[in-house]
């Protein structure tokens, strides 16, 4: 009986040992890994992706209004002021035409400088600088007396891209006198009349003819106007500054 119980107990123990599987090393590793561990790795991946998509630090060096304001300005040409003294002569060539019988007061007159103006050995106003003004007085030729005249004055010039007011002496042109020509015309008329009168009536006729011829010559003078003043484009004229002129010129 004891032998039977011992055998039954041993069989029961053997069966119990076979029913419980022996745990493997891999099963132990898997069971020991927390279930939340894979999920925890996701934020790290997202963080890494966010970092990788961030623009490199060099991109922050792009120019912004603030940095542009700090950038040095481009070098600008330097200028200096030069004063041209009163009395300086301005040799000019007209670029517009004027005449005593066609121009009127306030008509525009233009010209250009034919020689550079130099101050202290440096060119202050270059050749070809335009200068403008207007007619200030005009009178056409009269008969017998009243010589034609025209007067104009320059008031501004343009040097570079800047205009300047100019105070300059007026330029006046007066027609030449015709008294000598008038006397010749009267004398020729008188001589011709005397010759014709002498041929027709002796000495008395000559005297009468001279008087008649002289009157005819005078009539020609009365009917003839004096010379007009006409200045075409290209005519040379000259004026002078009546007050100092200060202009800006590029520094050399």
């Amino acid at each position: 009986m004891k032998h039977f119980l011992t055998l039954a107990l041993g069989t029961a123990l053997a069966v119990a040992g076979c029913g419980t599987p022996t745990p493997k090393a891999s099963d132990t590793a898997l069971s020991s890994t927390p279930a939340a561990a894979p999920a925890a790795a996701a934020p790290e991946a997202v963080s890494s992706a966010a970092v990788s998509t961030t623009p490199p630090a060099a991109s922050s060096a792009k120019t912004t209004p603030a940095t542009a304001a700090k950038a040095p300005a481009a070098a600008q040409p330097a200028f200096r002021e030069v004063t041209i003294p009163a009395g300086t002569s301005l040799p000019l060539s007209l670029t517009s035409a004027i005449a005593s019988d066609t121009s009127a007061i306030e008509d525009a007159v233009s010209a250009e400088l034919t020689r550079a103006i130099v101050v202290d050995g440096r060119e202050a106003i270059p050749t070809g600088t335009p200068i403008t003004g207007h007619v200030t007085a005009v009178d056409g030729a009269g008969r017998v007396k009243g010589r034609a005249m025209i007067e104009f004055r320059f008031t501004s010039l343009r040097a570079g891209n800047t205009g300047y007011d100019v105070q300059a002496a007026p330029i006046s042109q007066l027609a030449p006198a015709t008294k000598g020509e008038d006397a010749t015309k009267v004398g020729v008329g008188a001589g011709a009349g005397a010759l014709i009168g002498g041929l027709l009536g002796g000495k008395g006729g000559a005297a009468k003819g001279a008087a008649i011829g002289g009157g005819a010559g005078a009539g020609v003078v009365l009917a003839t106007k004096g010379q007009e003043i006409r200045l075409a484009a290209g005519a040379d004229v000259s004026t002078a500054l009546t007050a100092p002129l200060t202009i800006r010129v590029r520094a050399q």
Side-chain angles (χ1 to χ4, degrees), residues 180-198 205-221:
E181 295 179 4
D182 295 344
T184 300
K185 291 175 183 177
V186 173
V188 169
L195 177 61
I196 295 172
K208 292 180 180 178
I212 294 172
V220 172
V221 171

Side-chain angles (χ1 to χ4, degrees), residues 89-177:
S89 177
L90 303 178
L92 305 167
S93 176
L94 292 179
T95 55
S96 63
I98 57 175
S100 59
D101 57 341
T102 58
S103 297
I105 294 176
E106 296 299 329
D107 280 358
V109 183
S110 61
E112 62 182 16
L113 202 64
T114 59
R115 187 185 70 244
I117 304 301
V118 177
V119 177
D120 295 333
R122 295 182 177 181
E123 183 178 272
I125 307 178
T127 301
T129 296
I131 185 168
T132 57
H134 58 273
V135 175
T136 55
V138 62
D139 191 8
R143 303 181 189 279
V144 181
K145 61 180 181 178
R147 295 156 64 183
M149 64 82 64
I150 189 167
E151 182 182 277
F152 51 100
R153 183 194 299 270
F154 290 103
T155 57
S156 65
L157 65 78
R158 190 167 190 83
N161 296 321
T162 306
Y164 298 92
D165 293 333
V166 173
Q167 297 184 50
I171 301 171
S172 182
Q173 297 285 329
L174 182 65

Side-chain angles (χ1 to χ4, degrees), residues 198-215:
L199 293 176
L200 296 178
K203 291 183 179 180
K208 292 180 180 178
I212 294 172

Side-chain angles (χ1 to χ4, degrees), residues 51-77:
V51 171
S52 64
T53 57
T54 302
S59 64
S60 63
K62 292 183 179 179
T63 302
T64 62
T67 57
K70 297 178 181 178
Q76 298 295 325

Side-chain angles (χ1 to χ4, degrees), residues 10 21 28 40 42 44 52 77-78 80 104 108 128 141 148 159 172 177 191 224 242:
T28 303
E44 294 180 3
S52 64
R80 62 189 180 89
S172 182
T224 303
T242 57

